[in-house]
């Protein structure tokens, strides 16, 4: 049962019950009185004629939301959803079988709810009006295809009923659709007659599918006015297909943990460069925390299971900051695909990118692509990008002939890119194929406070200039509110070593009184300097503990923290080095007059720092800084007990 798994969410260390979350997920991602499809756009698979037939049905279902749509209709349909289930027919002895639905529909219309299974056949005879299709005029072939579709529907139904724990159909509707086959045929005397008169409601033919208005009328007359299903069964089956189609297992977080992807993430995951002309790259823009790096990992895993990632078809992952590279390498090991994926960093102050690497790559993913513009050097930028394209082109030489192109992704943090892209920056980075706008990492409480630093990073600029800066709107991708934000005032009773002394006491309290582990904690000083570095932190910590006793220990190198962290290690890092990584507790330390609310770089950095956090955010700062950031007056004083 799928409910044995749990949903991964920020602030929920052990996840949340699957069934508890799914109804809220459906309501948020698939709002009422409209038509939704998963995936959002048609995905090609199979033979050419079968693809064309399924595309007709996909378009007709999507067309139900047109101007002439049926009022009050809510519909989610799933296309090519695979599933596994046990069969007990024909001496199968409960053995597992894997099937793939053509279409599964979940419908709410007025007070009735419906579940519909659709099998599509591409059979074509000479009576149909569509040109340039293979004609299957053999009556035996057509009959065999009919029998095959009936068996497939019966298998689908058997598994669904077993999943529901019932033996009766309970009004699950089933149809076979023939977009290229006429409802009329000839009898042995060559007289034109209706095809399959004994099963008039099971089959839907070309005449009905040829125009949207005909299909709408059929849908209203048959689907919406016939069998409805019980609400419990409807919700159970809908949850099953949401998990199958929108969920990915993230075993690197916790074994069996499930992450539900929103529609824009699914669109990215289902985007296929093979469909784009001559291997055109996929450019993805997204705010911090929208899951760009996670989706790269999931795409790599998907390519591996499709047989498109192996020793002959290697992938390259490129980023700028060393921390995210290290994190990705660790997760590639957990996913057991590290041997097929090389990782490297690009640089902003030196040329010769990948000069010593003689490999070519079927798939290339460039994360943090906007950081290339930090170079402000056109030659370095041009050389780096040309090298990437050359490696990709050489890795897809055979693809030039058969159009089987590998994946080429450029992922851009739009928030940062919008602030400092110079004139000579590549147009490639300015023209997104997809924009991710739903933040999945932060809790709602933290997000609602700090989205101001994303949406309006330069409040001191005239509105005329701000109107020309393209920063997309962002929203929260889940319903988790999360804990409050705490504040420690460095103005009070200021001794010589503040804020160091106060921050050390905070770490001791979190680990000794509040139940957090050192590994949960990341300290991000607004400026990493000689008074706020791991060495002085550890010296101050030593003053509070007995000799050779257990104590939290500060680690400064993020690669060391990720790969070799001991049970008592916590991280101290500069803000940008933590990009792409999340932490349970983030402590932001502001010394003296570090922060200027009118400075765009300070606002940008504040958003990046706050968005690293999933469960608790703590400010250690003077009251002046607190008031500049906490414009809604929602910070709480930390219940400091040490």
């Amino acid at each position: 049962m799928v409910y044995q798994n749990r949903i991964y969410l920020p602030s929920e260390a052990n996840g949340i019950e699957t069934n508890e979350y799914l109804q809220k997920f459906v309501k948020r991602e698939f709002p009422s009185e409209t038509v939704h499809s998963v995936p959002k756009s048609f995905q090609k698979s199979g033979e050419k004629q079968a693809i064309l037939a399924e595309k007709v049905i996909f378009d007709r279902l999507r067309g139900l939301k047109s101007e002439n749509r049926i009022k009050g209709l809510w519909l989610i349909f799933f296309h090519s959803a695979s599933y596994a289930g046990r069969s007990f027919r024909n001496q199968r002895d409960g053995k597992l079988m894997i099937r793939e639905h053509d279409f599964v529909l979940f419908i709410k219309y007025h007070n009735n709810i419906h579940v519909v299974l659709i099998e599509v056949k591409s059979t074509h005879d000479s009576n149909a009006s569509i040109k340039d299709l293979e004609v299957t005029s053999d009556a035996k072939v057509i009959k065999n295809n009919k029998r095959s579709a009936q068996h497939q529907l019966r298998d689908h139904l058997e598994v669904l009923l077993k999943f529901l724990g019932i033996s009766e159909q309970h009004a699950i509707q089933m149809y076979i659709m023939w977009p290229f086959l006429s409802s009329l045929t000839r009898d042995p005397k060559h007289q034109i007659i209706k095809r399959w008169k004994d099963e008039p409601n099971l089959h839907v033919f070309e005449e009905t599918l040829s125009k949207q208005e005909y299909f709408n009328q059929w849908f209203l007359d048959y689907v919406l006015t016939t069998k409805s299903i019980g609400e419990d069964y409807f919700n159970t089956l809908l949850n099953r297909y949401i998990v199958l189609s929108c969920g990915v297992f993230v075993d690197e977080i916790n074994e069996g943990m499930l992450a539900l992807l929103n529609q824009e993430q699914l669109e990215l995951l289902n985007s296929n460069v093979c469909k784009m002309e001559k291997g055109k790259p996929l450019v993805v823009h997204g705010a911090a925390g929208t899951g760009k790096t996670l989706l790269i990992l999931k795409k790599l895993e998907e390519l591996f299971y499709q047989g498109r990632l192996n020793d002959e078809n290697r992938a390259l992952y490129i980023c700028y900051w060393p921390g995210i590279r290290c994190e990705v390498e660790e997760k590639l090991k957990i996913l057991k695909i590290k041997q097929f994926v090389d990782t490297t960093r690009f640089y902003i102050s030196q040329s010769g990118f990948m000069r010593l690497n003689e490999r070519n790559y079927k798939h290339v993913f460039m994360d943090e692509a906007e950081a290339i513009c930090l170079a402000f050097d056109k030659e370095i930028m041009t050389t780096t990008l040309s090298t990437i394209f050359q490696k990709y082109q050489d890795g897809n030489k055979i693809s030039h002939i058969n159009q089987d192109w590998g994946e080429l992704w450029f992922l851009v943090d739009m928030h940062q890119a919008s602030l400092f892209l110079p004139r000579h920056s590549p147009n490639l980075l300015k023209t997104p194929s997809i924009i991710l706008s739903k933040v999945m990492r932060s809790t709602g409480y933290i997000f609602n406070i700090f989205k101001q630093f994303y949406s309006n990073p330069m409040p001191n600029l005239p509105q005329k200039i701000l109107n020309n800066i393209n920063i997309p709107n962002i929203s929260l991708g889940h319903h988790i509110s999360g804990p409050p934000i705490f504040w420690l005032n460095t103005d009070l009773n200021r001794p010589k070593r503040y804020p160091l002394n106060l921050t050390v006491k905070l770490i001791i309290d979190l680990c000794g009184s509040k139940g957090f582990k050192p590994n949960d904690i990341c300290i991000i000083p607004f400026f990493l300097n000689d008074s706020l570095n791991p060495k002085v932190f550890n010296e101050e910590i030593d003053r509070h503990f007995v000799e050779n006793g257990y104590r939290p220990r500060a680690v400064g190198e993020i690669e060391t923290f990720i790969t070799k962290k001991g049970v008592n290690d916590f991280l101290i890092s500069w803000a940008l080095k933590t990009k792409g990584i999340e932490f349970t507790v983030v402590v932001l330390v502001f010394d003296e007059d570090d922060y200027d609310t009118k400075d765009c770089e300070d606002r940008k950095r504040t958003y990046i720092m706050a968005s690293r956090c999933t469960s608790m955010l703590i400010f250690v700062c003077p009251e002046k800084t607190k008031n500049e950031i906490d414009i809604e007056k929602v910070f709480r004083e930390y219940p400091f007990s040490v």
Side-chain angles (χ1 to χ4, degrees), residues 487-554:
W487 169 55
L488 280 173
N489 189 353
T490 60
D491 290 328
L492 301 177
N493 303 317
R494 174 182 290 274
K496 184 177 179 181
R497 295 170 63 85
Y498 266 48
L500 172 65
N501 180 275
L502 190 61
T503 309
V504 165
K505 287 184 178 180
L506 169 65
I507 298 299
I508 294 171
D509 185 51
L510 288 171
C511 297
S513 302
K514 301 299 188 291
F516 288 99
K517 298 176 182 178
N519 292 171
D520 293 333
I521 301 169
C522 176
I523 296 178
I524 307 179
F526 202 76
F527 289 113
L528 194 61
N529 52 41
D530 291 340
S531 63
L532 293 171
N533 62 44
K535 181 180 178 181
V536 296
F537 262 90
N538 288 330
E539 289 174 352
E540 181 66 21
I541 287 172
D542 288 341
R543 295 176 59 246
H544 295 268
F545 285 87
V546 298
E547 188 175 353
N548 298 324
Y550 169 86
R551 67 198 69 180
R553 301 295 293 176

Side-chain angles (χ1 to χ4, degrees), residues 22 55 63 77 143 160 172 201 248 262-263 293 329 338 357 363 402 436 481 551 567 594 632:
L22 284 171
K55 181 68 164 55
F77 69 89
K143 186 177 181 179
L160 293 186
I172 295 177
N201 297 331
V248 293
N262 57 49
Q263 290 200 67
T293 305
E329 286 183 338
K338 177 67 181 73
N357 186 332
H363 314 286
N402 59 22
L436 300 177
S481 296
R551 67 198 69 180
V567 293
D594 284 347
E632 297 183 16

Side-chain angles (χ1 to χ4, degrees), residues 585-629:
V585 179
V586 171
V587 180
L588 307 184
V589 183
F590 295 75
D591 192 3
E592 298 294 339
D593 297 324
D594 284 347
Y595 183 78
D596 180 1
T597 188
K598 296 181 180 180
D599 183 273
C600 67
E601 289 296 323
D602 284 3
R603 293 175 67 84
K604 177 180 70 176
R605 190 178 301 155
T606 303
Y607 177 80
I608 294 170
M609 294 161 74
S611 64
R612 303 303 96 205
C613 172
T614 62
S615 295
M616 184 178 290
L617 188 62
I618 304 172
F619 278 81
V620 181
C621 64
E623 187 171 9
K624 173 179 177 292
T625 302
K626 182 259 186 191
N627 291 337
E628 288 182 343
I629 296 174

Side-chain angles (χ1 to χ4, degrees), residues 129-182:
S129 60
I130 302 175
K131 299 179 180 179
D132 301 324
L133 291 180
E134 179 184 353
V135 175
T136 309
S137 57
D138 189 335
K140 184 178 180 180
V141 171
I142 296 175
K143 186 177 181 179
N144 287 340
N145 284 338
K146 171 192 171 186
R147 185 181 294 114
S148 170
Q150 289 172 321
H151 284 313
Q152 287 172 309
L153 287 174
R154 188 169 61 179
D155 284 344
H156 296 327
L157 184 61
E158 179 192 8
V159 171
L160 293 186
L161 296 182
K162 190 69 179 177
F163 175 75
L164 292 172
I166 58 178
S167 57
E168 299 179 7
Q169 182 172 335
H170 278 261
I172 295 177
Q173 298 183 51
M174 297 186 293
Y175 300 98
I176 304 173
M177 296 197 170
W178 310 79
F180 308 143
L181 188 67
S182 171

Side-chain angles (χ1 to χ4, degrees), residues 113-234:
I113 50 180
H114 311 270
V115 176
V116 179
L117 307 181
I118 295 176
E119 197 65 29
V120 181
K121 287 300 176 182
S122 59
T123 307
H124 174 37
D125 71 0
S126 56
N127 293 320
S129 60
I130 302 175
K131 299 179 180 179
D132 301 324
L133 291 180
E134 179 184 353
V135 175
T136 309
S137 57
D138 189 335
K140 184 178 180 180
V141 171
I142 296 175
K143 186 177 181 179
N144 287 340
N145 284 338
K146 171 192 171 186
R147 185 181 294 114
S148 170
Q150 289 172 321
H151 284 313
Q152 287 172 309
L153 287 174
R154 188 169 61 179
D155 284 344
H156 296 327
L157 184 61
E158 179 192 8
V159 171
L160 293 186
L161 296 182
K162 190 69 179 177
F163 175 75
L164 292 172
I166 58 178
S167 57
E168 299 179 7
Q169 182 172 335
H170 278 261
I172 295 177
Q173 298 183 51
M174 297 186 293
Y175 300 98
I176 304 173
M177 296 197 170
W178 310 79
F180 308 143
L181 188 67
S182 171
S183 64
L184 302 176
T185 186
R186 294 180 183 274
D187 64 10
K189 297 181 180 180
H190 298 286
Q191 294 179 327
I192 296 177
I193 59 172
K194 282 277 189 180
R195 194 188 300 270
W196 303 322
K197 291 183 293 185
D198 55 328
E199 302 170 316
N201 297 331
L202 176 63
H203 304 278
V204 185
F205 294 104
E206 183 218 3
E207 291 88 340
T208 301
L209 299 168
S210 60
K211 291 186 178 181
Q212 186 67 48
E213 56 265 36
Y214 299 162
F215 180 80
N216 288 8
Q217 191 61 51
W218 169 84
F219 196 85
L220 184 62
D221 291 343
Y222 287 89
V223 177
L224 300 182
T225 57
T226 54
K227 302 174 185 176
S228 60
I229 193 171
E231 186 172 0
D232 288 345
Y233 296 140
F234 178 90

